């Protein structure tokens, strides 16, 4: 009896025409297609992953506008509130655990690798959720100065960051940098892994439902070589986060990005591709996308012991 | 007094047609040299505006400086058409802009609501003129218009125009409060018959302010009036136009509805404050190929 049922359901499944998904980008809290109308179909082991938007420089422009307008509001939220929202991201990712694993497998990972990558990604969200309201206490300081000043330094978000996602770990690589970038109040425009963009798009669906304000995270899909000249010279992008390439061509691309980034003194940060080790989650990644503001506050000596404050 | 206008005078407006027609102006591709010319034209048509309760002499001085030095790093930029302020700042603005071609426009007649007596409104116009205003932006009495007292609105506009003499008068219809395209068309016809030199969409205090369909209705009214009487009337959309792309769409609409004769800051203006910076950023982008950041431009 059980066998018959199984055959029946298999038959039904064969008759069914699956609904194929249109993969769109994530800009300003909405899911638009590329303005250019162009698509590309990345392949894994000869199998097409589907049609993905081939972002144009105008898509880049639009996403930077969205990120810029979202930035002040995001930075103005309390660290505690950003914590809550990042934790909510972890909750949303947990609910999509199965989907994320399936997609990583489709993109060439083994079952074990896929599960480990999704588990670590969720863990990262919880980890950085914890840091949002604590990194300031760790990194800011009261500085001893030899004058009548109360001198202190604290971190402020850099602004709009452009992030080129890892090609090796399309989900873990992305979240491992997006989370520390937004933890301090930056907003980010990501270029998803060129060959494995599927996970990044599903991640944005989790982000869209996790109280992250529109424009804080934006994801484009497309060719790095087409976009690199435009984002590296864009004056409204303040910092660039890259994964280190292990190819001659990749190194050439990074070099030209660094050269063009000079115009408005973007900070270009490069990281190792392997995001698996536990020490790859640390608060220094938050500090990498912050600027230090030092304040000299004039004071008088008010106590006999000479304490200035 | 001039002969008054009857409500039946204005033709009915096809709302669906107007919206679709307005939408079609947004599909023109304007690139390269044409875009650069368009951007500079937009810049030359801007009425740089500050109409806030918290305006101070310092703020007005800053606005005048901005009108004269939009972005000195770029050579051969046109200056804006005018600065637009409250009457009590006219003298100051006039002094700051003395010897330049930038005009000073003053709002008057109990801006923005228009709720006051005719005597007070005329006195306010007189005050603005005596302070040196080159142009007057008046608001119509929407309350009277909605209660059907069209003759009052007509008489009021013609009285203000009479007080202005040769000074150009812009009549603000506040389309966001009129409700329908039919009423916008009627108010436009009424204002032009009463002597308006310009008709203007909005005060900027009410949303929606200027939209493309509503501006199209007013442009069509201007076209029909011009055909009938031969008198050219100017148009000023104001409020809500802050992106240069949208401003270019407006220019296309003017060109295709009224023709080249109106593509000049004598006949077409944008009432805006943040539009200028966006246009400047686009001009620099056209010149350098790099997308710009607001950090490198003056504060609005």
């Amino acid at each position: 009896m059980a066998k018959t049922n199984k055959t029946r359901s298999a038959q039904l499944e064969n008759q069914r025409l699956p609904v194929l998904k249109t993969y769109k980008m994530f800009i300003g809290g909405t899911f638009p297609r590329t303005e250019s109308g162009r698509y590309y179909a990345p392949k894994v082991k000869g199998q097409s992953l589907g049609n993905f938007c081939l972002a144009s420089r105008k898509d880049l422009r639009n996403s930077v506008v969205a990120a810029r307008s979202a930035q002040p509001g995001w930075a103005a939220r309390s660290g505690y509130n950003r914590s809550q929202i990042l934790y909510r991201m972890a909750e949303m990712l947990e609910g999509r655990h199965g989907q994320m694993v399936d997609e990583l497998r489709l993109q060439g990972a083994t079952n074990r690798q896929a599960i480990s990558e999704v588990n670590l990604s969720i863990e990262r969200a919880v980890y950085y959720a914890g840091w949002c309201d604590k990194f300031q206490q760790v990194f800011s300081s009261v500085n001893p100065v030899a004058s009548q000043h109360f001198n202190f330094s604290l971190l402020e978000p850099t602004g709009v960051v452009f992030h080129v996602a890892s090609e090796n770990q399309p989900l873990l690589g992305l979240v491992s940098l997006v989370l520390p970038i937004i933890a301090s109040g930056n907003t980010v425009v990501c270029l998803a892994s060129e060959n494995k963009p599927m996970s990044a798009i599903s991640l944005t669906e989790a982000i869209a439902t996790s109280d992250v304000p529109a424009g804080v995270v934006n994801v484009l899909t497309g060719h790095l070589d087409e976009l690199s000249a435009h984002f590296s010279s864009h004056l409204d992008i303040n910092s660039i986060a890259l994964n280190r390439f292990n190819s001659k061509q990749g190194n050439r691309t990074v070099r030209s990005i660094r050269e063009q980034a000079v115009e408005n003194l973007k900070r270009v940060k490069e990281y190792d591709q392997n995001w698996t080790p536990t020490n790859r989650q640390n608060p220094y990644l938050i500090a990498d996308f912050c600027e230090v503001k030092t304040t000299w506050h004039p004071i008088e000596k008010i106590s006999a012991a000479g304490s200035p404050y | 007094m001039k002969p008054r206008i009857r409500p039946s005078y204005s033709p009915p407006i096809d709302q669906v047609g107007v919206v679709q027609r307005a939408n079609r102006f947004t599909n023109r591709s304007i690139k390269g040299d044409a875009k650069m010319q368009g951007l500079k034209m937009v810049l030359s048509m801007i009425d740089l505006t500050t109409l806030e309760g918290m305006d101070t002499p310092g703020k007005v001085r800053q606005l005048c400086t901005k009108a004269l030095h939009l972005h000195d790093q770029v050579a051969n930029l046109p200056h804006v058409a005018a600065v637009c302020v409250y009457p009590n700042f006219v003298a100051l603005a006039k002094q700051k802009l003395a010897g330049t071609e930038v005009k000073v426009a003053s709002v008057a007649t109990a801006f923005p609501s228009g709720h006051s007596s005719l005597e007070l409104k005329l006195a306010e116009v007189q005050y603005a003129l005596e302070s040196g205003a080159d142009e007057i932006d008046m608001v119509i009495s929407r309350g009277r218009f909605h209660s059907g007292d069209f003759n009052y609105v007509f008489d009021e506009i013609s009285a203000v125009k009479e007080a202005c003499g040769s000074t150009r008068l812009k009549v603000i219809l506040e389309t966001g409060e009129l409700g329908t395209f039919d009423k916008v068309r009627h108010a436009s016809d009424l204002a032009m018959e009463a002597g308006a030199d310009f008709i203007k969409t909005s005060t900027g205090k009410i949303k929606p302010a200027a939209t493309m369909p509503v501006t199209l209705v007013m442009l069509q009214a201007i076209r029909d009036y011009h055909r009938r009487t031969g008198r050219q009337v100017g148009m000023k959309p104001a409020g809500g136009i802050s992106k240069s792309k949208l401003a270019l769409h407006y220019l296309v609409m003017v060109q295709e509805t009224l023709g080249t004769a109106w593509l000049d800051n004598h006949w077409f203006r944008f009432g805006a404050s943040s539009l200028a910076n966006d246009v400047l950023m686009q001009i620099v982008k056209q010149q350098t190929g790099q997308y710009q950041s607001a950090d490198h431009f003056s504060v609005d």
Side-chain angles (χ1 to χ4, degrees), chain A residues 83-102:
Chain A
S83 283
Q84 292 173 310
I85 291 171
L86 260 57
Y87 190 83
R88 181 82 180 148
M89 255 171 85
E91 291 176 10
M92 291 297 116
L93 280 172
E94 189 71 59
R96 289 171 178 260
H97 194 285
Q99 179 195 352
M100 295 286 182
V101 170
D102 288 348

Side-chain angles (χ1 to χ4, degrees), chain B residues 269-281:
Chain B
R269 298 279 179 83
F270 290 103
S273 43
S274 55
L275 175 63
N277 268 12
D278 196 68
V279 174
L280 290 169
M281 279 164 69

Side-chain angles (χ1 to χ4, degrees), chain B residues 10-62:
Chain B
S10 302
I13 302 296
D14 171 358
Q15 182 170 354
V16 176
V18 163
V19 170
Q20 286 187 350
R21 177 82 184 119
N23 195 37
R24 243 174 291 157
F25 296 119
T26 64
N27 296 332
R28 308 287 186 271
S29 177
I30 303 169
K31 306 280 180 205
D33 277 355
K35 183 171 181 185
M36 193 56 137
Q37 279 182 24
L39 290 171
K40 287 191 174 173
M41 185 179 274
V42 170
L43 217 47
S44 75
M45 289 172 166
I46 291 177
D47 280 6
L48 220 48
T49 303
T50 182
L51 296 169
E52 301 296 332
M54 54 189 256
D55 283 349
T56 58
K59 168 83 199 204
V60 172
R61 254 182 243 121
Q62 185 191 344

